[in-house]
Amino acid sequence: MDRAQKEKLVEELGQIFESSGVVVVARYEGLTVAEMTDLRNRARGAEATVRVAKNKLARIAVQGTPAEGINQYLDGMTVLTFSEDPVAAAKVVEDFAKDNKKIEILGGAMGGTTLDRAGVEAVSKMPSRDELIASIVGCIGAPASNIAGAIGAPASNIASILSTIEEKAEAA
């Protein structure tokens, strides 16, 4: 890799560290190509990205960004997983780590907050942006359906009472 390519990579990584909702750092020593492909596919499905970069270049790129605290985790064979959604990358790596013991989650960053192993796990248990939106929409829609039900209920009650009276009159 020549100097121009390294500078370009540092710039790309800097953008990632600056704009990602969450960045997770994990050690991936011993993963096969198939297992790494599986991790990448899972990440792609959750709108997250997996990136392997030289630690020295990642350390240069993270300087001056909100994720600067992850410097301590950039040692050995590390992989970065990141996403705009503040929990997507953490969920992907946590789920993958449950299925594959060769990956070790070291920590990460969420905005300006540095996360340790337990912090990444806690973030992974939070609802995703899509789940929160669905919950909010459900809360907004519930009162409207309750009002419609309350308005329609008296009419149906009156109809059933009239039907019962009519049946009694016919029986008599």
Side-chain angles (χ1 to χ4, degrees), residues 35-45 48 50-52:
E35 292 166 334
M36 184 61 90
T37 302
D38 181 33
L39 174 60
R40 290 180 192 276
N41 289 337
R42 289 183 190 198
R44 194 174 303 116
V50 174
R51 185 88 183 253
V52 175

Side-chain angles (χ1 to χ4, degrees), residues 3 6 13-14 19-20 27-28 35 38 40 46 60 96 105 123 131 148 151 167:
R3 184 173 178 86
K6 288 178 182 178
L13 288 172
S19 64
S20 294
R27 190 164 287 122
Y28 70 99
E35 292 166 334
D38 181 33
R40 290 180 192 276
I60 293 168
F96 186 78
I105 299 169
V123 168
E131 292 168 343
I151 291 171
E167 287 173 8

Side-chain angles (χ1 to χ4, degrees), residues 13-26 48-51 58 62 65-71 73-74 79-90 93 105-116 119-120 123:
L13 288 172
Q15 293 272 331
I16 290 166
F17 294 133
E18 190 72 42
S19 64
S20 294
V22 68
V23 178
V24 178
V25 182
T49 305
V50 174
R51 185 88 183 253
V62 78
T65 67
E68 195 167 3
I70 67 169
N71 254 332
Y73 302 123
L74 296 173
V79 62
L80 304 170
T81 307
F82 53 92
S83 62
E84 250 182 66
D85 183 336
V87 296
V93 178
I105 299 169
L106 302 174
M110 184 175 183
T113 306
T114 302
L115 305 170
D116 60 359
V120 172
V123 168

Side-chain angles (χ1 to χ4, degrees), residues 3 7 32 71-72 77 88 96-97 101 106 109 113 125 127 136 142 145:
R3 184 173 178 86
E7 287 174 358
T32 65
N71 254 332
Q72 61 187 322
M77 294 180 65
F96 186 78
K101 300 301 178 198
L106 302 174
T113 306
K125 293 178 181 176
I136 291 169
S145 64

Side-chain angles (χ1 to χ4, degrees), residues 99-148:
D99 299 338
N100 193 322
K101 300 301 178 198
K102 294 178 193 172
I103 194 161
E104 175 191 358
I105 299 169
L106 302 174
M110 184 175 183
T113 306
T114 302
L115 305 170
D116 60 359
R117 172 69 183 93
V120 172
E121 184 178 357
V123 168
S124 74
K125 293 178 181 176
M126 293 170 55
S128 71
R129 181 179 3 204
D130 292 339
E131 292 168 343
L132 285 173
I133 290 171
S135 175
I136 291 169
V137 168
C139 289
I140 291 171
S145 64
N146 290 344
I147 290 171

